[in-house]
Amino acid sequence: MTTAHEAPYAPEHSPRLDWAKHAPEVYKAMVRLDAAARRGLDPTLLELVKIRASQLNHCAFCLDMHTKDALAAGESVERIIQLGAWEESRHFYTEKELAAIELTEAVTVITDGFVPDEVYERAAEHFEEAELAQLIAAITVINAWNRFGVSTRMVPGHYKPGQHK
């Protein structure tokens, strides 16, 4: 008798398109934009933002990448796991991190209409204007990366920490 633990994993899917190969100038521009957006931001906070946006956008490739990068940078497994339920796990995060996570959600699900004033104002309480501008840029960039990853079905599981830095 075969138990669930002995059953083989589902087969790995293939990517739809190697978009970076076919649009190399766009890819290079995204890498430069990503590097510019991260300047001045705390690397741990940045990974939390990237993970949360990737959760909301269902980007498995980016979740693989950013959880591995966060772990390699010293982030705890517990905080990464709780990120999906941050509103009920607030005590795992600083007020500044909570403001960034909340802003990430508002920008990521902007199809709801707008970023609420109270969300923006809470972020503005914890970030100086230049840092807030960088944070908004970083949130925007990870959302763009997520859209490339999801639309082309990039395959998770093969990323090594720091591989694309």
Side-chain angles (χ1 to χ4, degrees):
M1 181 201 274
T2 303
T3 66
H5 298 294
E6 296 171 358
Y9 292 114
E12 186 175 281
H13 69 270
S14 297
R16 290 179 174 153
L17 173 73
D18 183 350
W19 77 269
K21 175 183 167 189
H22 296 290
E25 293 307 313
V26 175
Y27 177 77
K28 289 178 203 169
M30 282 295 299
V31 169
R32 288 190 306 272
L33 182 60
D34 189 83
R38 77 176 62 231
R39 282 194 199 114
L41 292 176
D42 174 78
T44 301
L45 181 129
L46 185 60
E47 292 304 331
L48 291 174
V49 162
K50 290 180 176 188
I51 292 166
R52 187 63 191 132
S54 299
Q55 289 172 335
L56 293 166
N57 288 321
H58 306 282
C59 186
F61 181 85
C62 293
L63 279 169
D64 180 51
M65 175 188 295
H66 296 297
T67 55
K68 287 175 179 175
D69 283 345
L71 289 167
E75 184 54 83
S76 74
V77 170
E78 190 170 49
R79 282 172 33 107
I80 292 170
I81 290 169
Q82 292 301 319
L83 197 51
W86 68 269
E87 290 174 295
E88 295 175 18
S89 304
R90 298 177 71 84
H91 60 285
F92 286 91
Y93 309 99
T94 68
E95 289 299 320
K96 185 173 184 174
E97 289 168 337
L98 289 167
I101 293 164
E102 188 175 25
L103 183 63
T104 299
E105 288 199 6
V107 172
T108 300
V109 295
I110 205 156
T111 52
D112 289 350
F114 56 93
V115 173
D117 288 341
E118 60 274 10
V119 171
Y120 183 87
E121 288 164 10
R122 204 164 11 261
E125 289 173 16
H126 295 281
F127 295 88
E128 293 180 14
E129 284 187 346
E131 190 180 20
L132 183 57
Q134 289 297 122
L135 177 60
I136 292 168
I139 295 167
T140 301
V141 171
I142 189 56
N143 273 279
W145 282 123
N146 290 163
R147 279 144 181 80
F148 285 118
V150 170
S151 63
T152 64
R153 294 187 70 206
M154 293 176 73
V155 181
H158 303 283
Y159 179 79
K160 304 289 184 242
Q163 180 179 332
H164 293 303
K165 293 216 180 212

Short mmCIF file of all heavy atoms in Angstrom, two decimals, residues 4-35:
data_model
loop_
_atom_site.label_atom_id
_atom_site.label_comp_id
_atom_site.label_asym_id
_atom_site.label_seq_id
_atom_site.Cartn_x
_atom_site.Cartn_y
_atom_site.Cartn_z
N ALA A 4 0.45 8.58 1.42
CA ALA A 4 0.55 9.91 0.80
C ALA A 4 1.99 10.39 0.77
O ALA A 4 2.40 11.09 -0.13
CB ALA A 4 -0.33 10.91 1.55
N HIS A 5 2.78 10.01 1.78
CA HIS A 5 4.17 10.46 1.84
C HIS A 5 5.05 9.78 0.80
O HIS A 5 6.09 10.28 0.44
CB HIS A 5 4.74 10.23 3.24
CG HIS A 5 4.04 11.01 4.30
ND1 HIS A 5 4.09 12.38 4.35
CD2 HIS A 5 3.24 10.62 5.32
CE1 HIS A 5 3.36 12.80 5.37
NE2 HIS A 5 2.83 11.75 5.98
N GLU A 6 4.62 8.62 0.32
CA GLU A 6 5.40 7.89 -0.68
C GLU A 6 4.98 8.23 -2.10
O GLU A 6 5.66 7.86 -3.05
CB GLU A 6 5.26 6.38 -0.44
CG GLU A 6 5.85 5.94 0.89
CD GLU A 6 5.52 4.49 1.21
OE1 GLU A 6 4.81 3.84 0.44
OE2 GLU A 6 5.97 4.02 2.26
N ALA A 7 3.85 8.87 -2.25
CA ALA A 7 3.35 9.19 -3.58
C ALA A 7 4.28 10.18 -4.27
O ALA A 7 4.83 11.08 -3.62
CB ALA A 7 1.94 9.78 -3.48
N PRO A 8 4.46 10.04 -5.56
CA PRO A 8 5.33 10.98 -6.28
C PRO A 8 4.70 12.38 -6.35
O PRO A 8 3.48 12.53 -6.28
CB PRO A 8 5.46 10.37 -7.67
CG PRO A 8 4.24 9.51 -7.82
CD PRO A 8 3.87 9.04 -6.44
N TYR A 9 5.57 13.35 -6.44
CA TYR A 9 5.08 14.72 -6.60
C TYR A 9 4.44 14.89 -7.97
O TYR A 9 4.75 14.14 -8.90
CB TYR A 9 6.23 15.72 -6.48
CG TYR A 9 6.82 15.83 -5.10
CD1 TYR A 9 8.13 15.42 -4.85
CD2 TYR A 9 6.08 16.34 -4.04
CE1 TYR A 9 8.68 15.52 -3.57
CE2 TYR A 9 6.62 16.45 -2.77
CZ TYR A 9 7.92 16.03 -2.54
OH TYR A 9 8.45 16.14 -1.29
N ALA A 10 3.60 15.89 -8.10
CA ALA A 10 3.02 16.22 -9.40
C ALA A 10 4.15 16.64 -10.34
O ALA A 10 5.18 17.15 -9.88
CB ALA A 10 2.01 17.35 -9.26
N PRO A 11 3.99 16.44 -11.62
CA PRO A 11 5.06 16.84 -12.55
C PRO A 11 5.22 18.35 -12.58
O PRO A 11 4.26 19.10 -12.38
CB PRO A 11 4.58 16.30 -13.90
CG PRO A 11 3.11 16.10 -13.76
CD PRO A 11 2.84 15.85 -12.30
N GLU A 12 6.44 18.78 -12.81
CA GLU A 12 6.74 20.20 -12.92
C GLU A 12 6.23 20.71 -14.27
O GLU A 12 6.42 20.07 -15.29
CB GLU A 12 8.26 20.39 -12.83
CG GLU A 12 8.70 21.82 -12.80
CD GLU A 12 10.20 21.93 -12.59
OE1 GLU A 12 10.66 21.78 -11.44
OE2 GLU A 12 10.91 22.17 -13.59
N HIS A 13 5.58 21.87 -14.24
CA HIS A 13 5.11 22.44 -15.50
C HIS A 13 6.26 23.13 -16.24
O HIS A 13 7.29 23.44 -15.64
CB HIS A 13 3.95 23.42 -15.27
CG HIS A 13 4.36 24.69 -14.58
ND1 HIS A 13 4.36 24.83 -13.22
CD2 HIS A 13 4.79 25.88 -15.07
CE1 HIS A 13 4.77 26.04 -12.90
NE2 HIS A 13 5.05 26.71 -14.00
N SER A 14 6.07 23.36 -17.49
CA SER A 14 7.06 24.10 -18.29
C SER A 14 6.64 25.56 -18.36
O SER A 14 5.45 25.86 -18.35
CB SER A 14 7.11 23.54 -19.71
OG SER A 14 7.53 22.20 -19.69
N PRO A 15 7.62 26.46 -18.44
CA PRO A 15 7.24 27.87 -18.63
C PRO A 15 6.60 28.04 -20.00
O PRO A 15 6.90 27.31 -20.94
CB PRO A 15 8.57 28.61 -18.53
CG PRO A 15 9.62 27.60 -18.80
CD PRO A 15 9.07 26.27 -18.41
N ARG A 16 5.72 29.02 -20.11
CA ARG A 16 5.08 29.31 -21.39
C ARG A 16 6.05 29.98 -22.35
O ARG A 16 5.97 29.78 -23.56
CB ARG A 16 3.89 30.25 -21.19
CG ARG A 16 2.73 29.63 -20.51
CD ARG A 16 1.63 30.66 -20.33
NE ARG A 16 0.44 30.03 -19.79
CZ ARG A 16 -0.45 30.67 -19.07
NH1 ARG A 16 -0.30 31.96 -18.79
NH2 ARG A 16 -1.51 30.03 -18.61
N LEU A 17 6.91 30.82 -21.79
CA LEU A 17 7.75 31.67 -22.62
C LEU A 17 8.94 32.13 -21.79
O LEU A 17 8.78 32.48 -20.62
CB LEU A 17 6.93 32.89 -23.07
CG LEU A 17 7.62 34.02 -23.81
CD1 LEU A 17 7.96 33.59 -25.23
CD2 LEU A 17 6.71 35.24 -23.85
N ASP A 18 10.11 32.13 -22.37
CA ASP A 18 11.29 32.71 -21.72
C ASP A 18 11.32 34.18 -22.13
O ASP A 18 12.01 34.58 -23.05
CB ASP A 18 12.56 31.98 -22.18
CG ASP A 18 13.81 32.48 -21.48
OD1 ASP A 18 13.74 33.52 -20.77
OD2 ASP A 18 14.86 31.84 -21.65
N TRP A 19 10.52 34.98 -21.42
CA TRP A 19 10.33 36.37 -21.83
C TRP A 19 11.62 37.17 -21.78
O TRP A 19 11.84 38.04 -22.62
CB TRP A 19 9.22 37.04 -21.01
CG TRP A 19 9.61 37.43 -19.62
CD1 TRP A 19 9.50 36.70 -18.50
CD2 TRP A 19 10.20 38.68 -19.23
NE1 TRP A 19 9.99 37.40 -17.43
CE2 TRP A 19 10.41 38.62 -17.84
CE3 TRP A 19 10.56 39.85 -19.90
CZ2 TRP A 19 10.96 39.67 -17.12
CZ3 TRP A 19 11.11 40.89 -19.18
CH2 TRP A 19 11.31 40.79 -17.81
N ALA A 20 12.49 36.88 -20.83
CA ALA A 20 13.75 37.62 -20.71
C ALA A 20 14.62 37.39 -21.95
O ALA A 20 15.32 38.31 -22.40
CB ALA A 20 14.49 37.22 -19.45
N LYS A 21 14.60 36.21 -22.49
CA LYS A 21 15.36 35.88 -23.70
C LYS A 21 14.80 36.62 -24.92
O LYS A 21 15.54 37.11 -25.76
CB LYS A 21 15.31 34.37 -23.94
CG LYS A 21 15.96 33.92 -25.23
CD LYS A 21 15.80 32.42 -25.40
CE LYS A 21 16.14 32.01 -26.81
NZ LYS A 21 15.78 30.59 -27.04
N HIS A 22 13.48 36.72 -24.99
CA HIS A 22 12.84 37.31 -26.16
C HIS A 22 12.64 38.82 -26.05
O HIS A 22 12.37 39.48 -27.04
CB HIS A 22 11.51 36.61 -26.43
CG HIS A 22 11.69 35.17 -26.79
ND1 HIS A 22 12.24 34.76 -27.98
CD2 HIS A 22 11.43 34.04 -26.09
CE1 HIS A 22 12.30 33.45 -28.01
NE2 HIS A 22 11.81 32.98 -26.87
N ALA A 23 12.77 39.35 -24.83
CA ALA A 23 12.67 40.80 -24.61
C ALA A 23 13.83 41.23 -23.72
O ALA A 23 13.63 41.76 -22.62
CB ALA A 23 11.32 41.15 -24.00
N PRO A 24 15.07 41.02 -24.17
CA PRO A 24 16.23 41.26 -23.30
C PRO A 24 16.38 42.71 -22.85
O PRO A 24 16.84 42.96 -21.73
CB PRO A 24 17.42 40.81 -24.15
CG PRO A 24 16.94 40.88 -25.56
CD PRO A 24 15.47 40.56 -25.50
N GLU A 25 16.01 43.66 -23.68
CA GLU A 25 16.14 45.06 -23.28
C GLU A 25 15.14 45.40 -22.18
O GLU A 25 15.44 46.18 -21.26
CB GLU A 25 15.98 45.99 -24.49
CG GLU A 25 17.12 45.87 -25.49
CD GLU A 25 18.50 46.04 -24.86
OE1 GLU A 25 18.69 47.00 -24.09
OE2 GLU A 25 19.39 45.21 -25.13
N VAL A 26 13.95 44.82 -22.25
CA VAL A 26 12.96 45.03 -21.19
C VAL A 26 13.47 44.40 -19.90
O VAL A 26 13.40 45.01 -18.83
CB VAL A 26 11.59 44.44 -21.59
CG1 VAL A 26 10.60 44.55 -20.44
CG2 VAL A 26 11.05 45.12 -22.83
N TYR A 27 13.99 43.19 -19.99
CA TYR A 27 14.53 42.50 -18.82
C TYR A 27 15.64 43.33 -18.18
O TYR A 27 15.65 43.55 -16.97
CB TYR A 27 15.02 41.10 -19.19
CG TYR A 27 15.65 40.39 -18.02
CD1 TYR A 27 14.85 39.82 -17.02
CD2 TYR A 27 17.03 40.30 -17.89
CE1 TYR A 27 15.43 39.18 -15.93
CE2 TYR A 27 17.61 39.66 -16.81
CZ TYR A 27 16.80 39.11 -15.83
OH TYR A 27 17.37 38.49 -14.74
N LYS A 28 16.58 43.80 -18.98
CA LYS A 28 17.69 44.61 -18.45
C LYS A 28 17.18 45.89 -17.80
O LYS A 28 17.68 46.32 -16.76
CB LYS A 28 18.68 44.94 -19.56
CG LYS A 28 19.49 43.76 -20.04
CD LYS A 28 20.40 44.18 -21.18
CE LYS A 28 20.78 43.01 -22.05
NZ LYS A 28 21.44 43.43 -23.29
N ALA A 29 16.18 46.51 -18.40
CA ALA A 29 15.59 47.72 -17.84
C ALA A 29 14.90 47.41 -16.50
O ALA A 29 15.00 48.20 -15.55
CB ALA A 29 14.61 48.35 -18.81
N MET A 30 14.24 46.27 -16.42
CA MET A 30 13.60 45.87 -15.16
C MET A 30 14.64 45.63 -14.07
O MET A 30 14.43 46.02 -12.92
CB MET A 30 12.76 44.60 -15.36
CG MET A 30 11.42 44.82 -16.04
SD MET A 30 10.28 45.82 -15.04
CE MET A 30 10.10 44.81 -13.57
N VAL A 31 15.74 45.01 -14.41
CA VAL A 31 16.81 44.77 -13.43
C VAL A 31 17.35 46.11 -12.92
O VAL A 31 17.56 46.28 -11.71
CB VAL A 31 17.93 43.90 -14.04
CG1 VAL A 31 19.16 43.86 -13.15
CG2 VAL A 31 17.41 42.48 -14.31
N ARG A 32 17.56 47.06 -13.82
CA ARG A 32 18.04 48.39 -13.40
C ARG A 32 16.99 49.10 -12.54
O ARG A 32 17.33 49.73 -11.53
CB ARG A 32 18.40 49.24 -14.62
CG ARG A 32 19.68 48.78 -15.33
CD ARG A 32 20.16 49.76 -16.39
NE ARG A 32 19.15 50.11 -17.38
CZ ARG A 32 18.92 49.44 -18.51
NH1 ARG A 32 19.64 48.37 -18.81
NH2 ARG A 32 17.99 49.84 -19.35
N LEU A 33 15.73 49.00 -12.93
CA LEU A 33 14.65 49.62 -12.17
C LEU A 33 14.56 48.99 -10.77
O LEU A 33 14.41 49.69 -9.77
CB LEU A 33 13.32 49.47 -12.92
CG LEU A 33 12.09 50.09 -12.27
CD1 LEU A 33 12.26 51.60 -12.10
CD2 LEU A 33 10.85 49.78 -13.11
N ASP A 34 14.70 47.68 -10.70
CA ASP A 34 14.66 46.98 -9.42
C ASP A 34 15.80 47.45 -8.52
O ASP A 34 15.59 47.73 -7.33
CB ASP A 34 14.76 45.47 -9.67
CG ASP A 34 14.52 44.67 -8.41
OD1 ASP A 34 13.35 44.44 -8.07
OD2 ASP A 34 15.51 44.26 -7.75
N ALA A 35 16.98 47.57 -9.08
CA ALA A 35 18.15 48.04 -8.30
C ALA A 35 17.93 49.47 -7.81
O ALA A 35 18.24 49.80 -6.66
CB ALA A 35 19.41 47.94 -9.14
#
